[in-house]
Every structure is written in structure tokens, then in C-alpha cells.
Amino acid sequence: MAQTSVAQFASELKVPPSVLLEQLRAAGVDKRVAEDSLSETDKSRLLEYLRRMHGSADAKNKITLTRKHTSEIKKADATGKYRTVQVEVRKKRVFVKRDPNEISAAAVAAEAPPPVAAPQPAIDAKEVELRQEEARRQQQLGELQASELREKQDRERKEIEQKQAQQKATEAAAAAPAPAGTTTLHAPKTADAKTEKKPKKPKQTTVLRDDSVRRRQIKTRGDAGGGVGGWHGRGGTRHRHAPSGATEQTAFAQAAEPQVRDIAVPETITVGELAHRMSVKAAEVIKVLMKLGSMATINQALDQDTAMIVVQEMGHKATPAKLDDPEAYLVESGEEPAAAEVKPRPPVVTVMGHVDHGKTSLLDFIRRTKVAAGEAGGITQHIGAYHVETPRGVVTFLDTPGHEAFTAMRARGAKVTDIVILVVAADDGVMPQTIEAINHAKAAKVPLVVALNKIDKHDANADKVKQELLAHGVVPEEYGGDSPLVPVSAKTGQGVDNLLEQILLQAEVLELKAATVAPARGVVIEARLDRGRGPVATLLVQSGTLHRGDIVLIGAVYGRVRAMLDENGKPVASAGPSIPVEIQGLSEVPAAGEDMMVLDDERKAREIALFRHGKVRDVKFAKQHAAKLELFGQMGEGEKKTLALVIKSDVQGSQEALVHALSRLATDEVKVTVVHAGVGGITESDVNLAMASHAVIIGFNARADAMARKLAESSGIQIRYYNIIYEAVDEMKAALSGMLPPERKESVIGMVEVRQVFRISKVGTVAGCYVLDGAVKRGAQVRVLRDNVVIHTGDIDSLKRFKDDVREVKSGFECGMSLKNFTDLKEKDQFEVFETVEVARSL
């Protein structure tokens, strides 16, 4: 091995080199300075010397081992909260090596009769004292336990004797006659009764534990119990010492694992209620919400999605559930009577197709009226419901809009219908809204009848339309499919009779039936707020018969039918299955597409409507709160420019379509926020809301009253009126385009060549230039090109012609130029002169 110096060995032993040199000289190793080298022999001699000095040259017969073990246990306190307790156990053991001669002698003595005791192994005095002390303690412990046991037996014997004496005294008192004049009902006290006392509680006696327990040290975190009881035992089990008189000890089991619960989460729930269902403190739920990025209070309402995420984060199982609501009444009373007579009903036919393909014109010819001419822009903007009495029977028609913004209306029409008439123009063919109508019909599993309209036009191509229909899964009957294709002309009436025949044929195949003598059920086709009549809803009765005076429940709206009109505005007393009617008397304007049902109890209808209204409001507030938090999280990413709108329309469907169409205009830089959307005229409260939110008011087939107009003019609020939906969408799109930041583009306006460079002490470096192309302007920027490589981009400092400052120098002229913060100019350099132009952007 490589030799080390005295200084290196001293650093390993962590002693000064001077001390090590003295020890080496004392051990007989002649080392003078710290740089002297040490061999293995020198180190061995030093070790032997140190052993002799410390008296440990003899062989070791005893070794002491000290072991420390630290563990953690969890315990639950009275509040159910788990606390962690750290337990540290220290053990010390002494092992003595016995002499082989002594071991063999002990073995021989074990086999022979023991007249002479075997020699004992050498044990140090301290170990002997510990063993004697332990023996004394064990003896004291045995004596204490024996005395306690004797005391307990004595107490039990005395209690038995007292009970027997009391029983004898009671029997004697019952047998002896009561003395005259004595009216007491109690037995006289006996001498033994005076001695009857409750046994005294045994005094707590401190039990001396063995020395190993006394040596243990306990470190706790939280509220570990103290006193006589303590923490001990193997494996972290908790035992609390009972009084010494007791023969048993109360054992506390180790804390069980957290219990996993199935939590039913309704549509809205407060933080406090959610914490109660999980049996945790509300602060724990708030902590989880903060980790998820949501700030909430104990009374904050959470929507169902957020609450389910919180439940799963806390280790429980979440299941969506409904509140205990009064709607259970509807389940019990909503079933139709089994004895109700079922009769055939008229088919409900929805006319669908692309915009301007002639849906309303075809229906107009069937009804013999002029409806399309009265529509704004010639397009339908709400669902029209009509029933027509033909020689072959009654048919109910629903006319849906074809504009792309009215997707929800077409979907609603397909859900409540029995047969769909797909109107396709023979000259245009299949268009985007035609494809959408096909998909709606397929989703609703409704049979299709194709009306090939405008066949009287010279550019009509029926074969092309059939091929396009085949490509989208609509197979005409002549090609072996199940969709009749009828060529018609809404203008001349050609093929209309054949179309009605096909509709009634499909109705016979479907065998449409409904109960007539039963409470009415139906669906809202359209709803609006009339200035003179209040909320008005167009209903399609699907089963039963609706009478004037019935109590109806429509979503969160209820009311009594005060008046009922047909599609021509004539009052009717009742309406059976598949008949559309317009009713008045509702508390509010219902949402289009809501289900309608008739109830017997007005109080129950009001209760259910109020409950639904509150539930919708809670869900709305919870979603608004989530949207605010999302907006708060996006603030750091850069704010979007927002166009705030207040929308008022004539009917519910138009408002729904307009909100949907305008919301789709949003981009990453600008967005549309609908502050409020409602049905009816523009009122003063709408203007106040627009003032508070800096919004633009849109009136779709709705107008502002005099007070609202006056307030809007004085406050500078814009009110825009529209009656065609695509005009509203186009104008809002233009407004959003104006809010986009302009795009900056560079435009090269000239090229200049440096002919000579002048260096003037007080002025700086000036380039004598010749304008090769275009022009040079003083406010423009330049790029300095050297060998067609850009070496600098900056601004023009000065531009001169001879001694005069000029604003512009055109092609073919010479000029003098100096640049800002750049003087490294050479001959043959070129200046590319450019301007930055802002270009307006569009969506």
C-alpha cells in the first residue's frame, strides 16, 4: 500500500500533527516533522501503544449494543380527525462471551447430581444491581396485585351479605302487620340498612413498570394522552393503563383506514352540505377547491360537475342524483289511465329543407293563403304550425326555418314530428341545410318524403338531385329505397295532390293513435310576449284533449288557459291530439321545446314551477361563478376585446337562434357576450342594463318604447333594429372586425445607392446618394444593404437636396442622407426605403 505522511494520517484521525508526533515518539517511532512518511508497521506500533495506555490490551469478553427504532402510528381523536404520533424505542443489550472451559464444566455439572454449584460466569457489578432491582420490583408488583385481589374479594363478599340482609328485612316487614295509625308505605329501616353504603372507588395505585419500559422515550405530535396511561407496546399499538385494582386493561385498537362513501351529488349543492355528506369539515372541502383553482365559501353553491370532482379528489365515489323535489308527484300522476280509449290521430308533418327552396310556398299552396309574401326577406324565422283539412283527412304541418342559424328549431321540429317532408329545389340540388335536415330526420328516426320542388324551371335536373340524395343516404323508392320522391311545383300546384297522398299513406303505415279522453300533454312550438295579451305560447297537443280553463305546467312556468286560439286567430274551446293552438294565461314566457302537461291542482303546479325556477337559477349562478373563475384565470394570458349585447326578440325561437349565431362569431382576440336575452319589446330596464355593461341593444322584430328611446338617446346607448337574421349577423361581424387590432405590413417605396461618404466633424457621417427607384421620404425607415446583406435597420435622421431640407426626393435625383445611430457607411451601399402600413383585418 502507498505510504502516507504524518500530516495526512493526523487529518484522517482528526488530531493535530504535533499531538500525533508526540504519540509516535512515545510508541518508539522516530518521526520528527509532519512531512515524514508512515509505514504500516509504524501504524501497528502506534496502535499497540495506545491500547496499552488505555488498558484494553486484553481480549474483549463483553459487548454492549444500543438499538433505536422510530415508527409512526395514526390515531383518531374525538372529532374524527387523524393525528400522527411518532414513537421512538431504544433498546440496550449487554452480551458476555463465556469461557469454553466454563461452558464444558457447566455441561458436566448439569448431567451429574448437583451437590456442588457450577461456576458462575463473570458478571459486572452494574448488571447485578440491575437484576436485583428488577427482582425487588417484581416482588413488590406481585404483593400489590395479591393485596388488590384480596380487597376485591372482600368487597364482593360484603356486598353479597348486605343484599341478603336487605332481602330478609324486606320479607319480615311484609309479613308483620302495620301498627294502628301508621300510614307510611315504606318499610322501617333496619340496622343493616344503615350500614348499606356504596362501595368506595378503589384508589389508583401506580404500577411500577419494568426497567425497559422506563427507559423508553416518547415523542408525540398532536394531543397524545398523558398521565398514568401512556403509549407502549410492540407495533405501535396503544394501551392505556387502568387503575391497579382492575384485573383487565382497556385496549384501544389501531386507527382504521378512511371510509370510502357513495356520495349522491344533486345538480347544485353548497360547500357545507357537500362536506356534511362526506362527514368532513367544510374547511377540507374549501382546501380541495382552492387546489383546483376555485375560491369558494361555505355557503357557495357548486354545480354538479365541480362537486363530483371534489368528491373524487377526497377519495369517495360520486354519483349524480336529483334533489328530493315535488316532481315525484308528476311520476305518480303523469301516467295515462290504462282504460283511456286510444283513437287514430292526424299525422304531424314537418317541412324541412334549405333556405329559399320553397318550403313556405309549398305549404302556402296547400293552405291557399299567402304566408311567404309576408315574411321578412322572404325567409321564415320561426316555426309555423297549421292544420289543414283535406278531402283525405286532417294533416298538421310545421314549417321550420331553413337558415343556418335556426338549427335548434329544425331539431325541435324533427323531435315532435311523425313524417318529414324534405323540400329540395330541382335547380339547386342538395345544399348544406338540406344535409342537416336529413341528419335531423335520421336522428329522430322519422320517415322522409322528398318533395322535388321547382320542377317547372327550365334548369331543373331531377336525376342530379336523386344522385346527390343517394350520396347522403336517402334512397328514393324507384331505386329500391323507402323514401318516396314526388316532383311538385309550389307555384303551379303540380304534384301537390300526389304529395298529400304519399303523406297519408305513410301515416296509415305508422298507425298513429293517441288517447283523447285524458289530461293533455304536448310541447311548446313557439313562445312570445304580446304587449296586450301577455305571455303567449303556441302548443302542439300530442295526447289527450286541452280545454279552456285547464291548469298547465310548462317547465318552470305554470298558468290557467284563459284563451285558446287556432292558427287563424279564431277562439276554440278544446284541442285534441296533433292540433296546434295558441294559449294565453301563463305566468311567464316559456322556453321553446318545453313539455306541457295538464295538472288538476293549481297549488301543486305552482309549487313544481317555483321549484324548477329555483333549480334553474342555482344552476345558472353556479355556471356563472365557474365562468368568472375561468375568466380570472385567463386574465394573465391577455384580455380579449368584448362586444356586449342585450338581445330582445319577438319570439323565443328567434332569440335562441340569434344568440347562437352571434356567439359563434367569437375568435381568440374578440368575443361576443350576451348580457341579457329576452322576449318582448325593449324597456327602460334593458337600457339601464346596457348602460351598466356598456352593451349594444339589438331589437329583432322588437321596438323600444318612448321612455326607453329617450333614455338611450340621453345616455348614448345604441339600439339596432333588425327583422332578417343574416343582416344582424353581418353587422355584428363587421363590428367585431372593427375591434380587431390592425395588421402591420411593410411597403417598400424606394431604393437608394450611396455614391460618396462625407465625414463632417460637427454633423457626423453624411451619405451622398442617388435615388435609383421610387422615392425617399423623411419619415420613412431604411435598411442598409451591403453586398445584398442587411447590416442595419433604422430611421432617417436628415434628408437634404444641396443645403435645403426636403420632405421627399424622387427617382433620378441626388440627395444627402444621414441615419440615426449608424455611421458605418461605405460607397456602393444601398438603402432600401420602406414604410409600415396598418391594414384593417376582418373575421
Side-chain angles (χ1 to χ4, degrees), residues 9-51:
F9 193 48
S11 64
E12 292 178 6
L13 296 178
K14 298 181 180 179
V15 297
S18 59
V19 175
L20 184 60
L21 286 170
E22 291 180 2
Q23 291 177 348
L24 286 169
R25 284 194 293 270
V29 180
D30 188 15
K31 300 295 178 183
R32 300 292 180 184
V33 292
E35 286 75 17
D36 291 345
S37 60
L38 284 174
S39 64
E40 293 298 321
T41 306
D42 297 339
K43 294 178 183 179
S44 300
R45 292 176 65 182
L46 176 64
L47 182 61
E48 290 175 1
Y49 167 72
L50 293 175
R51 283 177 176 172

Side-chain angles (χ1 to χ4, degrees), residues 490-509:
K491 192 174 183 180
T492 63
Q494 178 184 348
V496 173
D497 291 341
N498 191 14
L499 179 64
L500 292 173
E501 187 71 34
Q502 288 292 342
I503 291 170
L504 292 168
L505 185 62
Q506 290 279 352
E508 288 180 9
V509 172

Side-chain angles (χ1 to χ4, degrees), residues 626-668:
K628 286 178 184 176
L629 292 174
E630 184 179 351
L631 179 64
F632 180 75
Q634 292 174 352
M635 285 176 67
E637 304 171 5
E639 294 184 359
K640 292 183 180 180
K641 291 188 176 179
T642 304
L643 175 62
L645 299 175
V646 174
I647 299 175
K648 296 302 287 287
S649 66
D650 56 340
V651 293
Q652 186 82 23
S654 299
Q655 170 230 308
E656 180 185 285
L658 194 57
V659 170
H660 177 71
L662 294 177
S663 300
R664 290 173 55 190
L665 298 176
T667 64
D668 294 337

